[in-house]
mmCIF file of all heavy atoms in Angstrom:
data_model
loop_
_atom_site.group_PDB
_atom_site.id
_atom_site.type_symbol
_atom_site.label_atom_id
_atom_site.label_comp_id
_atom_site.label_asym_id
_atom_site.label_seq_id
_atom_site.Cartn_x
_atom_site.Cartn_y
_atom_site.Cartn_z
ATOM 1 N N ARG W 86 123.763 161.143 81.455
ATOM 2 C CA ARG W 86 124.743 162.023 80.935
ATOM 3 C C ARG W 86 124.480 162.169 79.370
ATOM 4 O O ARG W 86 124.609 163.316 78.800
ATOM 5 C CB ARG W 86 126.212 161.551 81.302
ATOM 6 C CG ARG W 86 126.529 161.596 82.785
ATOM 7 C CD ARG W 86 127.972 161.530 83.053
ATOM 8 N NE ARG W 86 128.513 160.270 82.650
ATOM 9 C CZ ARG W 86 128.888 159.283 83.602
ATOM 10 N NH1 ARG W 86 128.698 159.440 84.824
ATOM 11 N NH2 ARG W 86 129.389 158.166 83.108
ATOM 12 N N HIS W 87 124.319 161.061 78.860
ATOM 13 C CA HIS W 87 124.195 161.034 77.331
ATOM 14 C C HIS W 87 122.988 161.902 76.846
ATOM 15 O O HIS W 87 123.128 162.755 76.045
ATOM 16 C CB HIS W 87 123.984 159.562 76.853
ATOM 17 C CG HIS W 87 123.793 159.439 75.358
ATOM 18 N ND1 HIS W 87 124.764 158.993 74.585
ATOM 19 C CD2 HIS W 87 122.662 159.596 74.536
ATOM 20 C CE1 HIS W 87 124.310 158.973 73.364
ATOM 21 N NE2 HIS W 87 123.098 159.303 73.261
ATOM 22 N N ARG W 88 121.902 161.658 77.479
ATOM 23 C CA ARG W 88 120.666 162.309 77.080
ATOM 24 C C ARG W 88 120.638 163.790 77.531
ATOM 25 O O ARG W 88 120.111 164.666 76.741
ATOM 26 C CB ARG W 88 119.492 161.571 77.598
ATOM 27 C CG ARG W 88 119.362 160.238 76.934
ATOM 28 C CD ARG W 88 118.226 159.372 77.393
ATOM 29 N NE ARG W 88 118.289 158.062 76.681
ATOM 30 C CZ ARG W 88 117.635 156.992 76.980
ATOM 31 N NH1 ARG W 88 116.767 157.088 78.054
ATOM 32 N NH2 ARG W 88 117.746 155.904 76.274
ATOM 33 N N LEU W 89 121.221 164.113 78.599
ATOM 34 C CA LEU W 89 121.350 165.578 79.033
ATOM 35 C C LEU W 89 122.182 166.290 77.980
ATOM 36 O O LEU W 89 122.025 167.396 77.590
ATOM 37 C CB LEU W 89 121.758 165.673 80.419
ATOM 38 C CG LEU W 89 120.740 165.537 81.473
ATOM 39 C CD1 LEU W 89 121.372 165.417 82.875
ATOM 40 C CD2 LEU W 89 119.672 166.617 81.476
ATOM 41 N N TRP W 90 123.292 165.672 77.699
ATOM 42 C CA TRP W 90 124.252 166.292 76.727
ATOM 43 C C TRP W 90 123.505 166.505 75.352
ATOM 44 O O TRP W 90 123.605 167.604 74.729
ATOM 45 C CB TRP W 90 125.466 165.383 76.434
ATOM 46 C CG TRP W 90 126.713 165.765 77.279
ATOM 47 C CD1 TRP W 90 127.231 164.981 78.205
ATOM 48 C CD2 TRP W 90 127.481 167.033 77.315
ATOM 49 N NE1 TRP W 90 128.328 165.662 78.811
ATOM 50 C CE2 TRP W 90 128.522 166.919 78.272
ATOM 51 C CE3 TRP W 90 127.261 168.253 76.588
ATOM 52 C CZ2 TRP W 90 129.387 167.915 78.517
ATOM 53 C CZ3 TRP W 90 128.159 169.232 76.970
ATOM 54 C CH2 TRP W 90 129.161 169.107 77.826
ATOM 55 N N GLU W 91 122.825 165.564 74.896
ATOM 56 C CA GLU W 91 122.157 165.705 73.610
ATOM 57 C C GLU W 91 121.148 166.903 73.685
ATOM 58 O O GLU W 91 121.186 167.746 72.747
ATOM 59 C CB GLU W 91 121.289 164.409 73.359
ATOM 60 C CG GLU W 91 122.118 163.231 72.953
ATOM 61 C CD GLU W 91 121.360 162.101 72.340
ATOM 62 O OE1 GLU W 91 120.179 161.999 72.777
ATOM 63 O OE2 GLU W 91 121.847 161.230 71.607
ATOM 64 N N LEU W 92 120.365 167.003 74.754
ATOM 65 C CA LEU W 92 119.375 168.091 74.770
ATOM 66 C C LEU W 92 120.160 169.473 74.946
ATOM 67 O O LEU W 92 119.742 170.423 74.400
ATOM 68 C CB LEU W 92 118.504 167.888 75.966
ATOM 69 C CG LEU W 92 117.218 168.835 76.006
ATOM 70 C CD1 LEU W 92 116.409 168.699 74.791
ATOM 71 C CD2 LEU W 92 116.382 168.572 77.270
ATOM 72 N N PHE W 93 121.182 169.392 75.804
ATOM 73 C CA PHE W 93 121.951 170.656 75.949
ATOM 74 C C PHE W 93 122.558 171.144 74.706
ATOM 75 O O PHE W 93 122.490 172.351 74.366
ATOM 76 C CB PHE W 93 123.076 170.441 77.023
ATOM 77 C CG PHE W 93 123.904 171.582 77.305
ATOM 78 C CD1 PHE W 93 123.492 172.650 77.993
ATOM 79 C CD2 PHE W 93 125.258 171.671 76.826
ATOM 80 C CE1 PHE W 93 124.119 173.736 78.259
ATOM 81 C CE2 PHE W 93 125.946 172.784 77.107
ATOM 82 C CZ PHE W 93 125.384 173.872 77.864
ATOM 83 N N LEU W 94 123.149 170.249 73.868
ATOM 84 C CA LEU W 94 123.708 170.616 72.651
ATOM 85 C C LEU W 94 122.682 171.263 71.620
ATOM 86 O O LEU W 94 122.965 172.219 70.958
ATOM 87 C CB LEU W 94 124.436 169.518 71.928
ATOM 88 C CG LEU W 94 125.677 168.951 72.691
ATOM 89 C CD1 LEU W 94 126.294 167.831 71.892
ATOM 90 C CD2 LEU W 94 126.686 170.043 72.956
ATOM 91 N N VAL W 95 121.453 170.675 71.724
ATOM 92 C CA VAL W 95 120.388 171.256 70.845
ATOM 93 C C VAL W 95 119.891 172.586 71.405
ATOM 94 O O VAL W 95 119.855 173.515 70.605
ATOM 95 C CB VAL W 95 119.146 170.181 70.905
ATOM 96 C CG1 VAL W 95 117.904 170.861 70.303
ATOM 97 C CG2 VAL W 95 119.557 168.990 70.082
ATOM 98 N N LYS W 96 119.709 172.692 72.675
ATOM 99 C CA LYS W 96 119.136 173.874 73.329
ATOM 100 C C LYS W 96 120.052 175.073 73.339
ATOM 101 O O LYS W 96 119.791 176.178 73.068
ATOM 102 C CB LYS W 96 118.510 173.552 74.708
ATOM 103 C CG LYS W 96 117.405 172.595 74.672
ATOM 104 C CD LYS W 96 115.961 173.273 74.424
ATOM 105 C CE LYS W 96 114.972 172.411 74.674
ATOM 106 N NZ LYS W 96 113.594 173.025 74.418
ATOM 107 N N ALA W 97 121.305 174.711 73.882
ATOM 108 C CA ALA W 97 122.307 175.792 74.188
ATOM 109 C C ALA W 97 123.005 176.201 72.841
ATOM 110 O O ALA W 97 123.382 177.302 72.728
ATOM 111 C CB ALA W 97 123.179 175.306 75.217
ATOM 112 N N LEU W 98 123.368 175.256 71.976
ATOM 113 C CA LEU W 98 124.152 175.495 70.857
ATOM 114 C C LEU W 98 123.381 175.499 69.465
ATOM 115 O O LEU W 98 124.038 175.703 68.433
ATOM 116 C CB LEU W 98 125.365 174.647 70.844
ATOM 117 C CG LEU W 98 126.422 174.974 71.964
ATOM 118 C CD1 LEU W 98 127.489 173.802 71.976
ATOM 119 C CD2 LEU W 98 127.099 176.234 71.641
ATOM 120 N N GLY W 99 122.136 175.077 69.575
ATOM 121 C CA GLY W 99 121.402 175.019 68.272
ATOM 122 C C GLY W 99 121.852 173.999 67.346
ATOM 123 O O GLY W 99 121.666 174.084 66.117
ATOM 124 N N ILE W 100 122.524 172.936 67.838
ATOM 125 C CA ILE W 100 122.966 171.804 66.993
ATOM 126 C C ILE W 100 121.788 170.933 66.632
ATOM 127 O O ILE W 100 120.924 170.749 67.434
ATOM 128 C CB ILE W 100 124.056 171.012 67.770
ATOM 129 C CG1 ILE W 100 125.339 171.972 67.876
ATOM 130 C CG2 ILE W 100 124.441 169.782 66.912
ATOM 131 C CD1 ILE W 100 126.441 171.338 68.605
ATOM 132 N N GLY W 101 121.761 170.446 65.411
ATOM 133 C CA GLY W 101 120.610 169.678 64.974
ATOM 134 C C GLY W 101 120.436 168.382 65.763
ATOM 135 O O GLY W 101 121.420 167.730 66.247
ATOM 136 N N TRP W 102 119.241 167.921 65.948
ATOM 137 C CA TRP W 102 118.920 166.751 66.728
ATOM 138 C C TRP W 102 119.404 165.413 66.021
ATOM 139 O O TRP W 102 119.514 164.309 66.581
ATOM 140 C CB TRP W 102 117.468 166.631 67.204
ATOM 141 C CG TRP W 102 116.429 166.677 66.091
ATOM 142 C CD1 TRP W 102 116.299 167.583 65.125
ATOM 143 C CD2 TRP W 102 115.404 165.707 65.862
ATOM 144 N NE1 TRP W 102 115.252 167.312 64.243
ATOM 145 C CE2 TRP W 102 114.722 166.082 64.766
ATOM 146 C CE3 TRP W 102 115.076 164.454 66.483
ATOM 147 C CZ2 TRP W 102 113.634 165.353 64.219
ATOM 148 C CZ3 TRP W 102 113.959 163.801 66.044
ATOM 149 C CH2 TRP W 102 113.209 164.197 64.864
#
Side-chain angles (χ1 to χ4, degrees):
Chain W
R86 294 194 294 256
H87 180 102
R88 293 178 182 170
L89 280 171
W90 267 119
E91 287 189 339
L92 191 60
F93 181 70
L94 295 182
V95 167
K96 295 275 190 183
L98 288 171
I100 295 178
W102 59 303

